[in-house]
Amino acid sequence: MNTIAECCYIFRNLMKIVFFYLALIGSISALAQNKDPASTSFKALYNFISLEDSGINKPHKTTFGINTGWETYKDIMFPGTDIEGKAVTKNKFADRKDVLKCRITGGDAYNNIFFTNTLAKQLKTKHWNFATANAFSYSMDFYVDNNIDCKTPNLSELEGLEFIFQKAMPPYSYLWGLQWSKSNVWSYWDDTRINKKVKGWVRITKINACMKQTDWNTIRITGFQNDNELFYEKLYLNNESFPLSIKIQKSTLPTNFVENYLQVGFQINGNTAIRKGHSNGTDPVNVYLDNINLLTGKKEL
């Protein structure tokens, strides 16, 4: 091989190496930019992060209004029955700090414990930072410390889990909620009223994804709204993406609501007891939450 040919050969191979590394760097950059697929669908306005660190029943003022911290509510299905539970910030796992421990501790079958965190609450007569927010991404890691059996639902020690976020600007409300039940059914919440009765949970037939047991799960829900409707966009569960493409009408709040608010929620649905060794009608349930985030944004519709 003569000198010119050798130089051309070396040059061509050097260029191949250069182009290879440029392509590799470009791929890494693209992956980094799209690490959070939900955040790329709208322009971010504000990101509430690490909400598991919020206080329990500790309302306080912020630049956005009142923040309530985590509050616990009883969701009683049948008059005369009861449910007990609480939320505790506790370091349960060696590699995770201050996870939020949500618990059903006792009570009657089929009642539920609802954990909410109102992130910003402001009188509707005052300026509210989130008036223009029309897109949201709600995410968390969660660990169910109880038996789950999607193939044999009657062996599951809880009835289900619910993941909820809401933007309210009286007289209207936009509320997104997804529910997983022990029979491995996913449903979405429809706040539409028919003859003064809320439509409620509607099954999503195209999703059949079960939770991981004795391991951390990751969930993300994305949605957006216009003046009249809200849209369920996608569900991300454990690195799987499920398009939802569900549209429903906004709902009307009671006339005594005078505050705009932004809220996230998580609910444990109690089952009928299947374990021995306690006298409750429902089994005690522990669910740990970590990396609870709500990203608000502006989406061009």
Side-chain angles (χ1 to χ4, degrees):
M1 186 181 294
N2 59 40
T3 304
I4 295 176
E6 288 177 343
C7 289
C8 291
Y9 176 81
I10 294 170
F11 178 78
R12 285 196 300 270
N13 281 279
L14 283 173
M15 291 306 295
K16 286 180 182 179
I17 294 171
V18 169
F19 285 127
F20 171 79
Y21 279 104
L22 285 174
L24 180 60
I25 292 170
S27 298
I28 294 172
S29 176
L31 287 172
Q33 291 174 6
N34 292 285
K35 183 178 180 181
D36 179 358
S39 68
T40 61
S41 66
F42 58 82
K43 180 180 179 181
L45 292 178
Y46 192 81
N47 194 5
F48 292 90
I49 62 174
S50 300
L51 294 173
E52 67 278 2
D53 296 335
S54 298
I56 311 298
N57 296 317
K58 291 183 178 180
H60 59 281
K61 290 183 179 180
T62 73
T63 55
F64 303 120
I66 299 297
N67 182 304
T68 65
W70 288 100
E71 299 178 298
T72 305
Y73 297 92
K74 296 180 179 182
D75 183 17
I76 303 297
M77 303 303 294
F78 305 102
T81 61
D82 195 16
I83 191 73
E84 297 296 333
K86 57 184 177 180
V88 179
T89 301
K90 183 179 180 181
N91 185 356
K92 165 67 176 178
F93 299 89
D95 59 340
R96 294 179 183 245
K97 295 181 179 179
D98 296 327
V99 297
L100 186 68
K101 183 178 182 181
C102 299
R103 308 172 62 194
I104 288 179
T105 57
D108 298 306
Y110 303 121
N111 290 326
N112 317 305
I113 291 290
F114 189 29
F115 307 92
T116 67
N117 192 335
T118 303
L119 308 174
K121 184 166 57 173
Q122 186 74 274
L123 283 173
K124 64 180 182 180
T125 55
K126 295 184 178 182
H127 170 77
W128 197 48
N129 295 73
F130 306 98
T132 60
N134 68 348
F136 306 89
S137 172
Y138 182 37
S139 60
M140 69 174 72
D141 301 335
F142 65 97
Y143 185 110
V144 181
D145 200 15
N146 287 77
N147 188 60
I148 293 176
D149 193 326
C150 290
K151 294 182 179 179
T152 310
N154 287 336
L155 297 180
S156 294
E157 296 175 350
L158 66 160
E159 184 67 23
L161 301 173
E162 297 175 13
F163 309 86
I164 296 168
F165 60 98
Q166 180 184 20
K167 174 190 172 183
M169 294 182 67
Y172 301 115
S173 167
Y174 300 88
L175 188 153
W176 293 260
L178 290 185
Q179 179 194 75
W180 170 84
S181 71
K182 66 179 184 180
S183 52
N184 207 30
V185 169
W186 284 90
S187 304
Y188 69 92
W189 180 258
D190 187 341
D191 224 10
T192 304
R193 292 183 179 272
I194 302 175
N195 296 325
K196 298 182 178 181
K197 185 178 180 180
V198 175
K199 190 171 182 180
W201 294 108
V202 180
R203 182 171 182 172
I204 306 171
T205 56
K206 56 187 176 182
I207 300 179
N208 186 31
C210 190
M211 311 296 183
K212 292 188 289 187
Q213 184 173 325
T214 62
D215 198 359
W216 283 95
N217 297 268
T218 299
I219 189 170
R220 181 186 304 277
I221 306 164
T222 62
F224 58 95
Q225 47 116 157
N226 59 27
D227 290 340
N228 299 307
E229 300 158 318
L230 65 86
F231 301 81
Y232 288 86
E233 187 176 32
K234 286 186 179 181
L235 163 67
Y236 301 86
L237 181 68
N238 297 330
N239 297 318
E240 289 189 80
S241 175
F242 302 93
L244 298 174
S245 303
I246 297 167
K247 176 177 69 175
I248 62 176
Q249 294 294 310
K250 67 183 179 185
S251 61
T252 303
L253 291 165
T255 56
N256 62 339
F257 277 58
V258 296
E259 293 170 313
N260 299 322
Y261 62 89
L262 190 65
Q263 186 181 82
V264 297
F266 170 76
Q267 181 164 295
I268 304 174
N269 298 336
N271 199 4
T272 183
I274 61 175
R275 285 162 47 189
K276 307 298 182 181
H278 65 82
S279 59
N280 296 298
T282 188
D283 286 319
V285 177
N286 295 324
V287 182
Y288 300 90
L289 310 183
D290 196 14
N291 297 320
I292 309 171
N293 301 333
L294 179 72
L295 177 64
T296 68
K298 182 69 176 177
K299 184 180 181 72
E300 295 299 328
L301 303 178

Coordinates of all heavy atoms in Angstrom, one line a residue, residues 181-226:
S181 N -57.4 -2.7 41.7 CA -58.1 -3.6 42.6 C -57.4 -5.0 42.6 O -56.7 -5.3 41.7 CB -59.6 -3.7 42.2 OG -59.7 -4.5 41.1
K182 N -57.7 -5.7 43.7 CA -57.0 -7.0 43.9 C -57.3 -8.0 42.7 O -56.5 -8.9 42.5 CB -57.5 -7.6 45.2 CG -58.9 -8.0 45.2 CD -59.3 -8.6 46.6 CE -60.8 -9.1 46.6 NZ -61.1 -9.7 47.8
S183 N -58.4 -7.8 42.0 CA -58.6 -8.7 40.9 C -57.9 -8.3 39.6 O -58.1 -8.7 38.5 CB -60.2 -8.7 40.6 OG -60.6 -7.4 40.4
N184 N -56.9 -7.4 39.9 CA -56.0 -6.9 38.8 C -56.8 -6.1 37.8 O -56.5 -6.1 36.6 CB -55.2 -8.0 38.1 CG -53.9 -7.5 37.6 OD1 -53.3 -6.5 38.1 ND2 -53.4 -8.1 36.5
V185 N -57.8 -5.3 38.2 CA -58.5 -4.4 37.4 C -58.1 -3.0 37.6 O -58.0 -2.6 38.8 CB -60.1 -4.6 37.6 CG1 -60.9 -3.5 37.0 CG2 -60.5 -6.0 37.2
W186 N -57.9 -2.2 36.6 CA -57.6 -0.8 36.6 C -58.8 0.0 36.2 O -59.5 -0.4 35.3 CB -56.4 -0.4 35.7 CG -55.1 -0.8 36.3 CD1 -54.4 -2.0 36.1 CD2 -54.2 -0.1 37.1 NE1 -53.2 -2.0 36.7 CE2 -53.1 -0.8 37.4 CE3 -54.3 1.2 37.7 CZ2 -52.0 -0.4 38.2 CZ3 -53.3 1.7 38.4 CH2 -52.1 0.9 38.7
S187 N -59.1 1.1 37.0 CA -60.2 1.9 36.7 C -59.8 3.4 36.8 O -58.9 3.7 37.4 CB -61.4 1.6 37.7 OG -61.7 0.2 37.7
Y188 N -60.6 4.2 36.1 CA -60.4 5.7 36.2 C -61.6 6.3 36.8 O -62.7 5.7 36.8 CB -60.1 6.3 34.8 CG -61.3 6.3 33.9 CD1 -62.2 7.4 33.8 CD2 -61.5 5.3 33.0 CE1 -63.2 7.4 33.0 CE2 -62.6 5.3 32.1 CZ -63.4 6.4 32.1 OH -64.5 6.4 31.3
W189 N -61.4 7.4 37.5 CA -62.5 8.1 38.2 C -63.2 9.1 37.2 O -62.5 9.9 36.6 CB -62.0 8.9 39.4 CG -63.1 9.6 40.1 CD1 -63.4 10.9 40.1 CD2 -64.0 9.0 41.0 NE1 -64.4 11.2 40.9 CE2 -64.9 10.0 41.5 CE3 -64.3 7.7 41.5 CZ2 -65.9 9.8 42.4 CZ3 -65.3 7.5 42.4 CH2 -66.1 8.5 42.8
D190 N -64.5 9.0 37.2 CA -65.3 9.9 36.4 C -66.2 10.6 37.3 O -67.2 10.1 37.9 CB -66.1 9.1 35.3 CG -66.9 10.0 34.4 OD1 -67.0 11.2 34.7 OD2 -67.3 9.5 33.3
D191 N -66.0 11.9 37.5 CA -66.7 12.8 38.4 C -68.0 13.3 37.8 O -68.7 14.1 38.4 CB -65.8 14.0 38.8 CG -65.9 14.2 40.3 OD1 -66.5 13.3 41.0 OD2 -65.4 15.2 40.8
T192 N -68.3 12.9 36.6 CA -69.6 13.3 35.9 C -70.8 12.9 36.7 O -70.8 11.7 37.2 CB -69.7 12.8 34.5 OG1 -68.5 13.1 33.8 CG2 -70.9 13.3 33.8
R193 N -71.7 13.8 36.9 CA -73.0 13.5 37.6 C -74.1 13.2 36.6 O -74.4 13.9 35.7 CB -73.4 14.6 38.5 CG -72.4 14.8 39.7 CD -72.8 15.9 40.7 NE -71.9 16.0 41.8 CZ -71.9 15.3 42.9 NH1 -72.9 14.5 43.1 NH2 -71.0 15.5 43.8
I194 N -74.8 12.1 36.9 CA -75.9 11.7 36.1 C -77.1 11.5 37.1 O -77.0 10.7 38.0 CB -75.7 10.3 35.4 CG1 -74.5 10.5 34.4 CG2 -76.9 9.9 34.6 CD1 -74.1 9.2 33.8
N195 N -78.1 12.4 36.9 CA -79.2 12.4 37.9 C -78.7 12.6 39.3 O -79.2 11.9 40.2 CB -80.1 11.1 37.8 CG -80.7 11.0 36.4 OD1 -81.1 11.9 35.8 ND2 -80.8 9.7 35.9
K196 N -77.8 13.6 39.4 CA -77.2 14.0 40.7 C -76.4 12.9 41.4 O -76.0 13.1 42.5 CB -78.3 14.4 41.7 CG -79.1 15.6 41.2 CD -80.2 16.1 42.2 CE -80.9 17.3 41.7 NZ -81.9 17.7 42.7
K197 N -76.0 11.9 40.6 CA -75.2 10.8 41.2 C -73.9 10.7 40.4 O -73.9 10.7 39.2 CB -75.9 9.5 41.1 CG -75.2 8.3 41.8 CD -75.9 7.0 41.8 CE -75.2 5.9 42.4 NZ -75.9 4.6 42.4
V198 N -72.8 10.7 41.1 CA -71.5 10.6 40.5 C -71.3 9.3 39.8 O -71.6 8.2 40.3 CB -70.3 10.8 41.5 CG1 -69.0 10.6 40.8 CG2 -70.4 12.2 42.1
K199 N -70.8 9.3 38.5 CA -70.6 8.1 37.8 C -69.6 7.2 38.5 O -69.8 5.9 38.5 CB -70.1 8.4 36.4 CG -70.1 7.3 35.4 CD -69.9 7.7 34.0 CE -69.9 6.5 33.0 NZ -69.7 7.0 31.6
G200 N -68.5 7.7 39.0 CA -67.6 6.9 39.8 C -66.5 6.2 39.0 O -66.1 6.6 38.0
W201 N -66.1 5.0 39.5 CA -65.0 4.2 38.9 C -65.5 3.5 37.6 O -66.5 2.9 37.6 CB -64.4 3.2 39.8 CG -63.8 3.9 41.0 CD1 -64.2 3.9 42.3 CD2 -62.5 4.6 41.0 NE1 -63.3 4.6 43.1 CE2 -62.3 5.0 42.3 CE3 -61.6 4.9 40.0 CZ2 -61.1 5.7 42.7 CZ3 -60.5 5.6 40.3 CH2 -60.2 6.0 41.7
V202 N -64.7 3.7 36.5 CA -65.0 3.0 35.3 C -63.8 2.2 34.9 O -62.6 2.6 34.8 CB -65.2 4.1 34.2 CG1 -65.5 3.4 32.8 CG2 -66.3 5.0 34.6
R203 N -64.1 0.9 34.5 CA -63.0 0.0 34.2 C -62.2 0.4 33.0 O -62.8 0.8 32.0 CB -63.5 -1.4 34.1 CG -62.5 -2.5 33.8 CD -63.0 -3.9 33.9 NE -61.9 -4.9 33.7 CZ -62.1 -6.2 33.9 NH1 -63.3 -6.7 34.3 NH2 -61.1 -7.0 33.7
I204 N -60.9 0.2 33.0 CA -60.0 0.4 31.8 C -59.7 -1.0 31.3 O -58.9 -1.7 31.9 CB -58.7 1.1 32.2 CG1 -59.1 2.5 32.9 CG2 -57.9 1.4 30.9 CD1 -57.8 3.2 33.4
T205 N -60.3 -1.4 30.3 CA -60.2 -2.8 29.8 C -58.9 -3.2 29.2 O -58.5 -4.3 29.2 CB -61.3 -3.2 28.8 OG1 -61.2 -2.3 27.7 CG2 -62.7 -3.0 29.5
K206 N -58.1 -2.2 28.7 CA -56.9 -2.5 28.0 C -55.7 -2.6 28.9 O -54.6 -2.7 28.4 CB -56.7 -1.4 26.9 CG -56.6 0.0 27.4 CD -56.6 1.0 26.3 CE -56.6 2.5 26.8 NZ -56.6 3.4 25.7
I207 N -55.8 -2.4 30.2 CA -54.7 -2.5 31.1 C -54.8 -3.7 32.0 O -55.9 -3.9 32.6 CB -54.5 -1.3 31.9 CG1 -54.3 0.0 31.0 CG2 -53.3 -1.4 32.9 CD1 -54.1 1.2 31.8
N208 N -53.8 -4.6 32.1 CA -53.8 -5.7 32.9 C -52.5 -5.9 33.6 O -51.8 -6.9 33.4 CB -54.2 -7.0 32.1 CG -54.4 -8.2 33.0 OD1 -54.8 -8.1 34.2 ND2 -54.1 -9.4 32.5
A209 N -52.0 -4.9 34.3 CA -50.7 -4.9 34.9 C -50.8 -5.0 36.4 O -51.5 -4.2 37.1 CB -50.0 -3.6 34.5
C210 N -50.1 -6.0 37.0 CA -50.1 -6.2 38.4 C -48.9 -5.5 39.1 O -48.0 -5.2 38.4 CB -50.1 -7.7 38.7 SG -50.4 -8.2 40.4
M211 N -49.1 -5.3 40.4 CA -48.0 -4.8 41.2 C -47.0 -5.8 41.5 O -47.2 -7.0 41.5 CB -48.6 -4.2 42.5 CG -49.8 -3.4 42.4 SD -49.4 -1.9 41.5 CE -51.0 -1.0 41.6
K212 N -45.7 -5.3 41.7 CA -44.7 -6.2 42.2 C -44.8 -6.4 43.7 O -45.2 -5.4 44.4 CB -43.3 -5.7 41.9 CG -43.0 -5.7 40.4 CD -41.6 -5.3 40.1 CE -41.3 -3.8 40.4 NZ -39.9 -3.4 40.0
Q213 N -44.6 -7.6 44.2 CA -44.7 -7.8 45.7 C -43.3 -7.9 46.3 O -42.4 -8.4 45.6 CB -45.5 -9.2 45.9 CG -45.7 -9.5 47.4 CD -46.6 -10.7 47.5 OE1 -47.5 -10.9 46.8 NE2 -46.3 -11.5 48.6
T214 N -43.2 -7.4 47.5 CA -42.0 -7.4 48.3 C -40.9 -6.7 47.4 O -39.7 -7.1 47.4 CB -41.5 -8.8 48.7 OG1 -41.2 -9.6 47.6 CG2 -42.6 -9.4 49.6
D215 N -41.3 -5.6 46.7 CA -40.4 -4.9 45.9 C -41.0 -3.5 45.7 O -42.2 -3.3 45.8 CB -40.1 -5.5 44.6 CG -38.8 -5.0 43.9 OD1 -38.2 -4.1 44.5 OD2 -38.5 -5.5 42.8
W216 N -40.2 -2.5 45.3 CA -40.7 -1.2 45.0 C -41.3 -1.1 43.6 O -40.7 -1.7 42.7 CB -39.5 -0.2 45.1 CG -39.2 0.2 46.5 CD1 -38.2 -0.4 47.3 CD2 -39.9 1.1 47.4 NE1 -38.2 0.2 48.5 CE2 -39.2 1.1 48.6 CE3 -40.9 2.0 47.2 CZ2 -39.6 1.9 49.7 CZ3 -41.3 2.9 48.2 CH2 -40.6 2.8 49.5
N217 N -42.4 -0.5 43.5 CA -43.1 -0.2 42.3 C -43.0 1.3 42.0 O -42.9 2.1 42.9 CB -44.6 -0.6 42.3 CG -44.9 -2.0 42.5 OD1 -45.0 -2.8 41.6 ND2 -44.9 -2.4 43.8
T218 N -43.0 1.7 40.7 CA -43.0 3.1 40.3 C -44.2 3.3 39.4 O -44.5 2.6 38.5 CB -41.7 3.4 39.6 OG1 -40.6 3.2 40.4 CG2 -41.7 4.9 39.1
I219 N -45.0 4.4 39.8 CA -46.1 4.7 39.0 C -46.1 6.2 38.7 O -45.5 7.0 39.4 CB -47.4 4.4 39.8 CG1 -48.7 4.6 38.9 CG2 -47.6 5.3 41.0 CD1 -50.0 4.1 39.5
R220 N -46.6 6.6 37.5 CA -46.7 8.0 37.1 C -48.0 8.1 36.2 O -48.3 7.3 35.4 CB -45.5 8.4 36.2 CG -45.6 9.8 35.7 CD -44.4 10.2 34.8 NE -43.1 9.9 35.4 CZ -42.5 10.7 36.2 NH1 -43.0 11.9 36.5 NH2 -41.3 10.4 36.7
I221 N -48.7 9.1 36.5 CA -50.0 9.4 35.8 C -49.9 10.8 35.2 O -49.5 11.7 35.9 CB -51.2 9.3 36.8 CG1 -51.2 8.0 37.5 CG2 -52.5 9.6 36.0 CD1 -52.2 8.0 38.7
T222 N -50.2 10.9 33.9 CA -50.1 12.2 33.3 C -51.5 12.6 32.8 O -52.3 11.7 32.3 CB -49.2 12.3 32.1 OG1 -49.5 11.4 31.1 CG2 -47.7 12.0 32.6
G223 N -51.9 13.9 32.9 CA -53.2 14.3 32.4 C -53.1 15.8 32.2 O -52.2 16.5 32.6
F224 N -54.2 16.3 31.5 CA -54.3 17.7 31.2 C -55.7 18.1 31.1 O -56.6 17.3 31.1 CB -53.5 18.1 30.0 CG -53.9 17.4 28.7 CD1 -54.8 18.0 27.8 CD2 -53.3 16.2 28.4 CE1 -55.2 17.3 26.7 CE2 -53.7 15.5 27.2 CZ -54.6 16.1 26.4
Q225 N -56.0 19.4 31.0 CA -57.4 19.9 31.0 C -57.5 21.1 30.1 O -56.5 21.8 29.9 CB -57.8 20.3 32.4 CG -56.9 21.1 33.2 CD -57.3 22.5 33.6 OE1 -56.8 23.0 34.6 NE2 -58.2 23.1 32.9
N226 N -58.7 21.4 29.6 CA -59.0 22.6 29.0 C -60.1 23.3 29.8 O -60.3 22.9 31.0 CB -59.4 22.5 27.5 CG -60.6 21.5 27.3 OD1 -61.4 21.4 28.2 ND2 -60.7 20.9 26.2

